[in-house]
Amino acid sequence: MPAQTKEEFYVRRLFDDDVPVFVDATRYVRQDLPYPLSAKKALKATCGVRTDNEVLAFSLRNYTGKQAEREVEHVETTVGGRVTAQNQLRLRMPRRTLHGLNETARALSVVLGDEVITELDGDLYLLTLTRAGNEGTLTLAGKLTRSEGGFVRSELSESDTEFELPVAGVRLRIFLRSPVRDRLIAYGFSGYLTRKPGEMETVTRATALAINSILGLATFRMLSQLDHIDVPAAPRGNAVRQRKPSERVTFAVPVLLFTDDGTPAARGHVAAEIDLDQVDPVTGGLQLHVTAGDQLEWNPAVAETVKFESYERVLTETIGAMLHSAVGADTVRDLAYDIMLGDLQAEGIARLRTATTGLPGLAAKPHHAEVRSVQPTTGAPVA
């Protein structure tokens, strides 16, 4: 069969502060036209795609808010005395990267079975992909070494391999076979994950996060038959510096706590703090820590049988959702990148403090919480 090649280009962007989506921007690349954006920070990622008879190659680049500011140009034009402004992004097909992915995929085809191969800093790692429907779990299974006769597989003594995240972002190349078509999938990821430079990451976790970053693109999702890859817990990173009280974002949230059967358990305020050194390891959003503090009074009738830990998760998730709503999804992402990269400035901290002021009260049971307009008063709850 004659070789057939197709190229596509996608922009992952925000529309009206909604969830970022991939948009086909192929014609802008072919016609060398600037791609218009409603705002510079609407740009989240770009992805070039090259398809031939054997390999489907993807090259994705993630953008931080600051990178988007540098890449997107604000252009003003005057026509008939009328000034119009537009944010424009110049798109370029990453052909060299796609060609390299294609060549490596073909070389690995002799050893690539149902496993996933991840290339990091020139090293090749084998990962077992366990599927449950369209959900996947990765496990590090071994390592590949190039030799004159091909590739040699070796076992690893540790359950996973850690590496230090570089300042310039992570570059991964990931290879797997499509379970539904006779194609090799070659994926190049460039950008930041959920942890900041200098912290430790694992090969398995980085691979999972990188794959999840592109599953919003239908082409990759359909060919890989994956909707989500399970993300392992983050490894212990470098020690986080201790912040002064003036550098922290702490606040209190009024609550009424009830047992599952509706018996009043506690009332008062819980203590909360936004982590300014780490982001949520799974979502990449703001990470919140909630504790009972010293302003929560328990109902003596249930004090011996009910523990605050039973409410900690639902309170953390609900307060976190209120914060994300108050700050806005776009701003949360920018702040998360600043936290990840250690670039959070006084302006960002002030913004978070404003968002945490005057939050409404919550009524919560161990597995459910809702916002209340009436603030609970102090004093022991009455059964």
Side-chain angles (χ1 to χ4, degrees):
M1 178 185 294
Q4 298 180 5
T5 302
K6 181 174 72 171
E7 290 184 342
E8 300 165 278
F9 196 91
Y10 296 88
V11 175
R12 189 169 186 251
R13 57 167 298 180
L14 282 174
F15 289 97
D16 299 326
D17 292 336
D18 203 351
V19 178
V21 295
F22 282 100
V23 178
D24 189 348
T26 307
R27 75 176 183 91
Y28 292 90
V29 176
R30 290 176 179 168
Q31 299 175 21
D32 193 24
L33 296 173
Y35 182 83
L37 289 162
S38 56
K40 290 186 176 183
K41 293 182 179 180
L43 175 64
K44 298 303 172 187
T46 56
C47 184
V49 185
R50 183 185 187 277
T51 307
D52 64 22
N53 294 353
E54 297 180 46
V55 180
L56 193 60
F58 300 82
S59 176
L60 182 139
R61 179 187 176 188
N62 262 352
Y63 290 85
T64 65
K66 291 184 178 180
Q67 288 173 333
E69 286 281 349
R70 292 194 297 267
E71 292 284 334
V72 180
E73 184 181 4
H74 184 76
V75 179
E76 293 186 353
T77 57
T78 303
V79 179
R82 183 181 178 182
V83 179
T84 60
Q86 189 179 61
N87 296 301
Q88 298 180 350
L89 173 67
R90 286 288 177 180
L91 304 178
R92 294 177 178 83
M93 184 68 70
R95 290 190 174 89
R96 179 179 294 182
T97 301
L98 292 170
H99 180 72
L101 285 165
N102 191 294
E103 283 193 331
T104 303
R106 293 173 190 271
L108 290 172
S109 62
V110 295
V111 292
L112 184 59
D114 295 332
E115 295 169 308
V116 173
I117 295 177
T118 293
E119 183 180 39
L120 170 67
D121 295 333
D123 293 325
L124 296 171
Y125 299 90
L126 276 169
L127 296 98
T128 300
L129 174 60
T130 304
R131 296 175 180 266
N134 285 5
E135 302 285 318
T137 303
L138 294 169
T139 307
L140 188 62
K143 198 170 182 179
L144 289 176
T145 304
R146 294 178 177 87
S147 67
E148 292 184 0
F151 294 91
V152 178
R153 175 170 176 160
S154 60
E155 302 299 322
L156 294 172
S157 57
E158 65 271 16
S159 59
D160 210 340
T161 298
E162 293 188 355
F163 65 97
E164 184 176 314
L165 290 168
V167 174
V170 179
R171 294 182 183 272
L172 295 173
R173 300 206 301 172
I174 300 168
F175 304 88
L176 65 155
R177 286 189 181 275
S178 169
V180 293
R181 286 293 187 270
D182 185 20
R183 288 289 193 283
L184 298 172
I185 298 175
Y187 169 37
F189 172 89
S190 173
Y192 296 94
L193 300 172
T194 60
R195 313 196 83 194
K196 62 185 180 182
E199 294 188 317
M200 302 305 295
E201 188 56 275
T202 69
V203 170
T204 302
R205 191 168 180 276
T207 303
L209 289 166
I211 292 177
N212 284 339
S213 295
I214 199 174
L215 287 178
L217 184 59
T219 307
F220 191 99
R221 187 172 64 251
M222 293 168 65
L223 267 294
S224 67
Q225 287 291 284
L226 291 168
D227 288 338
H228 180 74
I229 295 288
D230 181 60
V231 179
R236 290 185 177 182
N238 295 340
V240 177
R241 70 182 180 89
Q242 295 296 314
R243 290 182 173 269
K244 301 175 183 177
S246 60
E247 297 177 321
R248 298 167 61 185
V249 178
T250 58
F251 56 101
V253 179
V255 297
L256 290 172
L257 304 183
F258 300 88
T259 63
D260 282 322
D261 62 7
T263 302
R267 73 192 314 169
H269 293 75
V270 295
E273 180 172 1
I274 298 175
D275 195 326
L276 302 183
D277 296 293
Q278 311 282 345
V279 296
D280 187 288
V282 176
T283 68
L286 301 177
Q287 181 151 274
L288 190 67
H289 303 290
V290 177
T291 60
D294 57 3
Q295 299 182 53
L296 195 61
E297 300 183 45
W298 292 89
N299 181 357
V302 299
E304 297 299 321
T305 58
V306 178
K307 302 298 182 185
F308 179 76
E309 288 74 11
S310 302
Y311 303 87
E312 186 175 353
R313 179 175 179 179
V314 69
L315 289 173
T316 300
E317 291 177 350
T318 307
I319 296 170
M322 288 195 298
L323 282 176
H324 281 66
S325 177
V327 177
D330 200 24
T331 301
V332 165
R333 290 186 183 91
D334 290 332
L335 290 170
Y337 277 123
D338 288 340
I339 291 171
M340 183 193 314
L341 301 175
D343 289 339
L344 187 65
Q345 304 298 319
E347 181 183 354
I349 295 176
R351 199 163 193 172
L352 290 173
R353 288 200 177 115
T354 300
T356 58
T357 301
L359 289 174
L362 297 177
K365 291 183 178 182
H367 304 292
H368 175 73
E370 60 184 28
V371 178
R372 294 173 61 94
S373 58
V374 178
Q375 307 290 323
T377 59
T378 57
V382 180

